[in-house]
Amino acid sequence: MALSMCTVLTSIMLVYFAMGSNAKIHEVKPLYDDVTGAPLNDAARNILRQARESESKASKLEYVASNHQVLTVQEEVKKLDPVHIEPGVWKFVMIDISTPGSNLSSKKIVRSFANLHYHAEMYSRAFEHELKALNANIRVIGGGRIDFRPEEKFISVYGYSKTFGRAPGCNEATAKLIQERFPDFQVKWSDDGY
């Protein structure tokens, strides 16, 4: 016996209301093709669209921080750590941040988090945890992989992002930022590999 669409929807609504305030709507996890890095669903496409925008919402140049002191966006951008990488071999993204109406040059940051498997996830984590509140212009320059071995004082930057494409100079610029952050480490870079 086939159920009508109305019966199915009514059943779903009854289950939802029966669950009351304990009902949770599950977020859709972004999915990417393991070979090409292409987004496979709307959640992944939304992250990429956001990352590729040359400007984010940047209508406000000032906001009140928790200590009630007025801080400019430029001051907040300056405070960002230029490099966050974690031990192991992980993908990374280089992100360019500029402030609207600023005569200052932009700031580039490198982000690589353990246990994330896609470049878009690296960007999404950085955006959600550090960049969203800035109201700055944010764009992904490119990415690749970082092999970070702290016990050996060795870091290698190589490859490229299939999701964001090849970005000439990205790996060299990333290695330079990392060398500044870890002056006692041997830092190598290459555009080879994936």
Side-chain angles (χ1 to χ4, degrees):
M1 165 162 86
L3 297 174
S4 72
M5 182 59 88
C6 184
T7 303
V8 172
L9 289 175
T10 302
S11 299
I12 291 171
M13 289 174 54
L14 288 173
V15 169
Y16 178 79
F17 288 116
M19 292 171 65
S21 63
N22 294 328
K24 292 184 180 178
I25 299 174
H26 297 287
E27 291 184 24
V28 176
K29 181 179 179 179
L31 300 174
Y32 303 91
D33 185 283
D34 287 333
V35 175
T36 66
L40 297 177
N41 63 5
D42 286 339
R45 282 186 281 281
N46 288 338
I47 290 171
L48 291 183
R49 184 174 46 253
Q50 177 186 43
R52 288 183 173 141
E53 289 177 353
S54 62
E55 295 184 1
S56 67
K57 296 175 185 173
S59 58
K60 296 180 181 177
L61 288 177
E62 295 184 344
Y63 66 96
V64 178
S66 60
N67 63 2
H68 304 292
Q69 179 182 10
V70 176
L71 300 172
T72 64
V73 174
Q74 291 94 343
E75 290 170 344
E76 290 301 307
V77 170
K78 284 181 190 176
K79 291 179 186 177
L80 286 173
D81 188 355
V83 174
H84 175 90
I85 59 176
E86 296 184 11
V89 178
W90 302 105
K91 292 182 179 180
F92 78 91
V93 288
M94 176 177 263
I95 302 170
D96 181 71
I97 306 163
S98 61
T99 54
S102 171
N103 58 1
L104 302 174
S105 61
S106 63
K107 179 173 186 171
K108 291 172 182 48
I109 64 171
V110 175
R111 294 297 182 263
S112 178
F113 303 100
N115 301 313
L116 297 181
H117 303 288
Y118 299 99
H119 291 99
E121 290 177 315
M122 297 293 173
Y123 165 77
S124 183
R125 166 94 43 99
F127 183 80
E128 290 299 322
H129 291 114
E130 300 178 87
L131 308 175
K132 189 180 205 177
L134 292 178
N135 289 320
N137 300 329
I138 301 165
R139 70 180 178 92
V140 174
I141 295 172
R145 293 179 190 262
I146 294 176
D147 181 354
F148 179 27
R149 298 182 232 161
E151 65 286 345
E152 298 173 34
K153 293 191 173 223
F154 175 81
I155 303 170
S156 176
V157 179
Y158 63 96
Y160 67 98
S161 167
K162 288 184 179 179
T163 303
F164 295 112
R166 289 191 182 270
C170 179
N171 291 354
E172 182 178 12
T174 296
K176 182 179 177 187
L177 285 174
I178 291 172
Q179 187 70 73
E180 290 170 4
R181 173 72 170 74
F182 297 95
D184 297 336
F185 282 59
Q186 177 187 12
V187 179
K188 294 182 172 186
W189 71 272
S190 169
D191 287 328
D192 296 334
Y194 166 70

